[in-house]
Amino acid sequence: MANDVDMILVGDIGGTNCRFALARVGDTTPQQARHYENSRFPSFQDAIEAYVAEVGGRPTAGVVAIAGPVAGEIVGPTNLPRWRFRPPSLASALSLSRLEVINDFEAVAQALPYLAKDETVPIGGVTQGVPGGNVAVLGPGTGLGVGALVRAAPRWAAVPSEGGHADISAPLGRWALAHDVIRTHVGRVSGEHVLSGPGLERIDAALRELDGRTERLPAAEIGARAIAGSDAIALEAVKLFFDYLARFSGDVALMFAAKGGLFLYGGVVQKLSSLIDPDRFRTAFEAKSPLETFLEQIPIRLITSPAPGLIGCAAVAASW
C-alpha cells in the first residue's frame, strides 16, 4: 500500500448498502474495496470507521457519493435519514483534511470514461455512439438514480440529477390498468415509484391485485421466481419493469441529448439482466415521436462493474 499521505477514502452510499475503498492520489483505480449493509451501523461515521479499522489504512482526505441531493449544511442518503451528517464536522471527526460529498449518480457519470470495455455490455444492436457526445446514466436500486456527463470543452462535466422523481407515463393495455392501481396507492407516479426494488414490488402487487390475489412478495423473491420461470405474474412484473425502464431511458436520453450513449446501472437491473429482451427494449426506448431517428443512433449499455461509483469518486479526487 502507498503511504497514508497518498491515500484518499472513496465511498458510495446507497439506501441499503455502502461501499468503501482507498485510492492513491491521482489514480482512478480503487483498492481494498469493501461492501457493507447499512443496517449494521447506526451512523455514517460508524461505517467509515469500521472500514478504516478493517483495512488498516489512514486516509487523509475523502470523496463520498450519496444517494440523495447534495444541498444545505446537512446531507445524507434520501432513504436513510439516520445517516445524515455535516461534511465539515465529519471530516474533523475522521481527521480528514478535505471531504467532498457528491450525488451517487454524479459519481457513476464521472466513472464512465474510465470503465474497461468488459465492464459494460450492449443492449440491442447499436454499439457505437457519437465520439465526445454527452452520455447519461440511470439505475434502479433502493431508489432511482439519474445523472449525465456532458462535454464542456475541453473537459467533461458531471451533472447530478434528481430525475428519478420525474413523472413516468402509463404503459398500454392491461399494463395501463396496473399503472392505475399503483397510482391509487402512491398518487403521482414517478420513475422511482416503479423503477426501484420497492417499485418492482409495487408492479408485482398491482398485477396480482388485478388477478384478485393479495399475495405480496419482496423484490428478491419476485426476481428469483421470474428467472426460474415458476411464477407467471412475477415474470410479467419483470417484463413491465423493463418496459417502464426502456421508456424512461428514452426520456433521459432526450433530456441530456445523450448522443454518446445511455448507460444502465443498479442492482435490480444487473440481477435481472438475463430477462431483458434487447429488441423489445430498444423498440420501447426509441418510441418517442417525432424523435425516433435521434434515439435510433444512441447505444444502450449495461454497466456490469460492481462499483462504478467508487471509480467516479476517485476520478473526482484525481482532479483536485
Side-chain angles (χ1 to χ4, degrees), residues 103 105-106 109 112 135-138 145-149 159-161 252 256 262:
N103 173 265
F105 269 75
E106 179 182 355
L112 295 179
V135 292
V137 60
L138 69 158
V146 177
L149 198 64
V159 180
S161 165
V252 170
F256 291 108
L262 186 286

Side-chain angles (χ1 to χ4, degrees), residues 143-146 161-167 188 190-193 195 248 252:
L144 175 62
V146 177
S161 165
E162 290 302 315
H165 296 283
D167 286 4
R188 180 184 74 89
S190 71
E192 185 165 290
H193 281 133
L195 292 174
F248 196 78
V252 170

Side-chain angles (χ1 to χ4, degrees), residues 98-270:
R98 177 174 182 175
L99 177 62
E100 186 165 344
V101 183
I102 62 176
N103 173 265
D104 59 338
F105 269 75
E106 179 182 355
V108 177
Q110 290 277 13
L112 295 179
Y114 303 99
L115 295 178
K117 288 185 178 180
D118 61 356
E119 290 182 306
T120 68
V121 294
I123 296 175
V126 183
T127 59
Q128 218 39 49
V130 174
N134 296 347
V135 292
V137 60
L138 69 158
T142 304
L144 175 62
V146 177
L149 198 64
V150 302
R151 196 69 175 173
R155 304 179 64 183
W156 290 98
V159 180
S161 165
E162 290 302 315
H165 296 283
D167 286 4
I168 193 167
S169 61
L172 302 175
R174 163 181 160 84
W175 287 350
L177 299 177
H179 189 88
D180 288 340
V181 171
I182 294 170
R183 183 185 292 114
T184 63
H185 292 295
V186 302
R188 180 184 74 89
V189 182
S190 71
E192 185 165 290
H193 281 133
V194 291
L195 292 174
S196 59
L200 180 59
E201 294 171 2
R202 289 188 184 97
I203 293 171
D204 184 81
L207 292 171
R208 292 180 193 279
E209 187 171 326
L210 291 176
D211 272 11
R213 299 170 62 175
T214 59
E215 185 179 19
R216 298 293 181 265
L217 301 176
E221 179 67 16
I222 296 166
R225 292 188 185 189
I227 291 172
S230 61
D231 186 322
I233 293 182
L235 182 56
E236 184 182 8
V238 171
K239 289 180 178 179
L240 175 49
F241 176 90
F242 282 127
D243 176 80
Y244 274 123
L245 182 60
R247 292 185 294 108
F248 196 78
S249 296
D251 290 337
V252 170
L254 290 175
M255 290 174 193
F256 291 108
K259 295 180 180 180
L262 186 286
F263 289 79
L264 299 175
Y265 175 62
V268 180
V269 178
Q270 289 177 327

Side-chain angles (χ1 to χ4, degrees), residues 272-292:
L272 299 176
S273 61
S274 63
L275 297 177
I276 297 176
D277 181 330
D279 292 337
R280 185 171 184 164
F281 196 97
R282 281 220 63 101
T283 296
F285 173 82
E286 295 168 5
K288 303 287 181 184
S289 178
L291 291 172
E292 295 94 338

